[in-house]
Amino acid sequence: MCTSTCCVPGSSSIRTSSSEVTASPEAYDTIECDVLVVGAGGAGMRAAIAAAEAGCRVTVVTKSLLGKAHTVMAEGGIAAGIGNLDPEDSWEVHFADTMLGGQLVNNWRMVELYAHEVIDRVLELERWGGIFDRTDDGLIMQRAFGAHSWRRLAHVGDRTGLELIRTCQDKMVHTEGVDVCMEYTLTCLLKSGDRVCGAFGYNRNTGRFVAFKAGAVVLASGGWGRMYRYTSNSWECSGDGATMAYQAGADLLDMEFMQFHPTGMIWPPGARGILVTEAVRGEGGLLFNAEGSRFMLDYDPVKKELSSRDVVARSIYKEVQAGRGTPHGGAYLDVRHLGADYVKRKLPSMYEQFHALASVDITSQPMEVGPTIHYTMGGIRVEPETAATTVPGLYAAGEAAGGLHGANRLGGNSLGDILVFGRRAGDAAAEFAKTVGTVRVIDDAQIATEQADLLRPLDGDGNGSAGENPYKLHEDLQLAMQDDAGIGRSEESLQRALAAILAIRERTAGIRVSGGRVLNPGWHTCRDVTNMLVISEAIVRGAIERRESRGSQWRFDHLEQEVEFGKINFVTRRGGDGMQVVSVPITPMPDRLRPLLERSRFYDPAKLPKGYMTETAPDAGTTGKKK
Ligand code: FAD
């Protein structure tokens, strides 16, 4: 066991990695728990609270410090059909908007559970002390967001993620039975037969190896944007969890669906990719091209600036391609008409961000914005009710999991996702761990193999000059993905991206870094890059197979939606000969849910996404609260 622990109130403890002693490379520490949670974002913390409340000993592992997970960056709000401002709103309308926004390839059962339960999860957050902006009547304030029928996003200014993290963290550290290991990177899952029985990794500060033995593992490790050059994602988002799941035999779902958020900063170069929250448009911000034309009136006259993200991102791209872009290749986003006081009160982070990073006062100047990689709709394939993956003992929730959002995520649906399915994953993992128990002996051969792989980049002459530089490999991968697997794709560009990925993968055999294992970011990057290569290959192979345009997948060589692709999801799994992508049929939506689609303000029978809508199916589940 790691010995140094620093306790916080309650019986939980937080273990900082810097306080440990380096030992010989082959040695490793062992930490045992009932449920291991990989990730301390919203999904991980909500899972940990649920599992601990079910009576389990829980260990939460995070690459960064507690409170710093990617979730903290979230801005605009949590989508929940509470109806505080618009009484017409309800879980049913939220269901319909989410399905239509996802172009009907979402897992409808996940969407149903989500739309129901997110209301309770938001109110629970409020009970736990979460602060929200308020209406005059003291109710939780809700704001408009793209492709939501009504004002739906519970928020606090443009710092909602910070509040969610703060509230969950406070609750978690006061919940009995939760330990936290900060600044640890897990690199592989440990298995006993078919079942996952823990994970292995290292302490980022000391480099010391550690094995976590667990009855069940929840992957709440977030998404993966860092294989693209311009991204709103934090440094943690290298797809570690999905890679570990894939290596352990789990299915990945619809990996081709990568969301380009329409509004990232595009100037100055150092700020490129940083998010400009959709709350700016939710509060009334307008988009203009360089000729001063409000172009969204042409692309989507009904939803305008609040069209779904895939549509707005493509519209900006088209304006730039048509020669109507701003000087740095984007569009203008303007909030001047809202008034300086309102802007500073409702969008304080945006005001500060542009002031500090671009010397732009958004109350008197327009913002220059363009698409940036933001979110991963695809992810680890899970059962809706339990968040169980296809490998026993392994669960996944939050951005790491797939299925909820289909081909395009609506803004605000991720913060809700992490609360709803984080809780479900924690509950189910606890039940599994209590039923099946922890494996007593872990297989040292697995650990030896993993250690050898991790240590390989440190072999050689010690100055790193002889081999491939991990940062260079990362840069080459980002160029390939940005140029050839970006917002628009074709068979030709995707084949080019795939060839580049495979060539970079070959080069990873010679990856070398200088220095040792203590506090060595170069060494950490070696595994990040190999993980990003696995995920990039899955994205590109999925995008090649999906020969249509749907949601975030925009194929220049297949501009239309195809009925057959609306009836399937693509599953990526590890085969004997390498990565395989196969199609699996979508279970048709039951008749009880089908009429709900009509409740969306954006329902238009003439423009329905093509696919399984034309079929009918018997009822396949019960509506409502968790069992
Ligand atoms: P994360 O918060 O990404 O947490 C992942 C955790 O896993 C981290 O603790 C990380 O350290 C850990 N981890 C990863 N790999 C390893 C490893 N190998 N070993 C150990 N630990 C590991 N969504 C909304 O719904 N509304 C919004 O307003 C909104 N605004 C956003 C604004 C920005 C700028 C960004 C970038 C995103 C926004 N999103 C928003 C999306 C949303 O924030 C994320 O999808 C969500 O927070 C993901 O939460 P998560 O718990 O799944 O993962």
Side-chain angles (χ1 to χ4, degrees), residues 207-220:
R208 188 172 169 84
F209 290 122
V210 57
F212 293 86
K213 280 204 240 178
V217 177
V218 177
L219 288 172

Side-chain angles (χ1 to χ4, degrees), residues 231-242:
T231 177
S232 64
N233 285 190
S234 83
W235 63 271
E236 295 167 293
C237 301
S238 44
D240 303 358

